[in-house]
Amino acid sequence: MARLVLKFGGTSVANLDRIRASALHVKREVEAGHDVAVVVSAMSGKTNELVGWCREASPLHDAREYDAVVASGEQVTAGLMAIVLQSMGITARSWQGWQVPILTSDQHGSARVLGIDGAELIRRFDERKEVAVIAGFQGIHAESGRITTLGRGGSDTSAVVIAAALKADRCDIYTDVDGVYTTDPRVVAKARRMDRVAFEEMLEMASLGAKVLQVRSVEAAMVHRIKVFVRSSFDDPAAPASGTLICAEEDIMEQQIVTGIAFSRDEAQITLRGVSDHPGVAAAIFGPLADAAINVDMIIQVVSDDTTTTDMTFTVPTADYERARLIIEGARAAIGFGSLQGANDVVKVSAIGIGMRSHAGVAARAFKALADKGINIRAITTSEIKFSVLIDAAYTELAVRTLHTLYGLDRA
Ligand code: ASP
Ligand code: MG
C-alpha cells in the first residue's frame, strides 16, 4: 500500500463528464488500497475568466480581492470531485487551502507555500480511508487570514508540496498529454515520450519553455525528492497507459547524454557595438535593465582587440524588447557605445542532458550539424547540463529537428 497524490489539471476537470472520468482514476487507486489525496485545478478556461472579471471590474484592483476571486475556480471543482467520488461509493471530503491549512506568504497572486499541516488528512486516511480532495492553487496567509494564490499554473506546485507534507510515495500529475516529450511533437513528428527524466533536466526543460509543469513545482519536487509522474487522464481508467516519471538521477538506469531539445520563441537580441571598454560598463548596461525588472538571459561580451571598445550582445523576452531598447538608449551617455542593433525574429534552441557533465564535445557536435544545414548561430551559452544557441526564427524547426536526430532522440 502506498500513499499517492493525484492532481487533475483544467482539461481533466473541464466538465462533469471529465470529472467523472478523472474520478475513475481515483477509484482505481483507492481500490488498490492506497491512501489518496486528490488536488484539482479549476475547470479549463475558468481562471482566465475570473482574472478577466477582476481586470474588468477595475484595472488596478486589490491583489487580496483578486485572490479571493480567482481561488474560487478550484473551490468548485474540489466540491464537485468529492460529490462524484461519493456517488461512486468512495469516502471523500473536499478541502480548501485554508481548511487544510496550506500556509503561504502574503505575496498575493504569487504566494509561496510556507507550511502544510497534513495531520488531519493522515488521521482520516488511517481511520476511515477517506480521500482528501484539495483545491489546488490556493492557500492562506496565517497572519492576515486572507486567501492567497500561488501564481498561474500553481496547482502543480500545490500537488507537489502536499505530497511532501503527506510523505507521499508519488505525485501523479494527470493532464491531457501522456507525458513529457523529447521535444515538442508538433515540431518534430519523431519526438518520443520519455519514460524517465531527472529533476534537474525537467527543471531546465520547464524553464526553457516545456509547458507541462509549472517551473516552481519541479523545483519543489527536486528539493523534497518527490517522484512526479506525468500521465493522461484521458487513458482508460481500467488499463492506464504509462507516462513520464520525473525522478532522481540515480533512479535512471541508462542516462542519455542529451535527453531533450527545447526552444523558445520568446527571445529578442540586442547588440551594442563600440562599447567603451572600462570597468563598470556591464553594470551600466545591466543595472538599469534589472531596475526595470527586465530579465536578461544570454550575455556575450566580445573581447576587444584595441582595448578601447568592445561589443556586447544580450537577449531579453520579446515583450520587453522595445522597453529594453529605450532604457539602453536612455543610458547611452552613462554606458558609452557606438550603435545599437536589435533583432526580434530570433529563437533560442537548447539541448538538455545530465550526461553533458561527463562528456566532452557535446555542444561542438551541434555547432557542426547546424553549420552543415547552413544555420548561422548568433549567440551561444552553456551551463553544466545544457547549451543554447540563438538563431534566426526562420530556422527553428530545421534546427530542432537536426539536434533531435543528432543526439539519437528520434522515435524509431
Ligand atoms: N487554475 C489555475 C490556473 O489556471 C491554477 C492551475 O490550474 O494550475 O492558473
Ligand atoms: Mg497546468
Side-chain angles (χ1 to χ4, degrees), residues 19-101:
I19 293 177
R20 282 193 195 97
S22 294
L24 290 173
H25 290 284
V26 178
K27 184 164 186 264
R28 182 190 65 239
E29 303 297 7
V30 171
E31 285 173 353
H34 304 313
D35 289 344
V36 178
V38 175
V39 176
V40 288
S41 284
M43 292 176 176
S44 62
K46 192 68 200 171
T47 309
N48 287 342
E49 182 183 47
L50 296 168
V51 170
W53 285 348
C54 291
R55 292 207 181 117
E56 236 183 89
S58 168
L60 287 176
H61 44 258
D62 185 326
R64 285 160 293 198
E65 302 311 338
Y66 166 95
D67 275 352
V69 175
V70 299
S72 67
E74 275 72 10
Q75 175 169 350
V76 172
T77 42
L80 290 174
M81 177 63 88
I83 291 174
V84 168
L85 287 169
Q86 288 169 0
S87 76
M88 293 175 175
I90 296 165
T91 313
R93 184 61 63 211
S94 76
W95 299 82
Q96 292 184 61
W98 63 269
Q99 289 172 308
V100 174

Side-chain angles (χ1 to χ4, degrees), residues 156-157 160-161 164 199 203 215-226:
D156 291 335
T157 300
V160 172
V161 295
F199 291 124
L203 189 57
V215 176
R216 274 173 59 194
S217 72
V218 185
E219 273 167 4
M222 189 161 100
V223 168
H224 298 291
R225 298 276 131 184
I226 299 291

Side-chain angles (χ1 to χ4, degrees), residues 114-126:
L114 302 176
I116 298 177
D117 184 354
E120 177 64 14
L121 304 189
I122 291 172
R123 196 174 64 75
R124 289 165 181 242
F125 289 151
D126 295 342

Side-chain angles (χ1 to χ4, degrees), residues 374-395:
I375 301 173
N376 184 45
I377 299 174
R378 291 165 163 266
I380 301 170
T381 54
T382 63
S383 76
E384 208 188 1
I385 66 162
K386 74 145 202 274
F387 68 85
S388 304
V389 294
L390 193 71
I391 60 169
D392 289 345
Y395 291 109

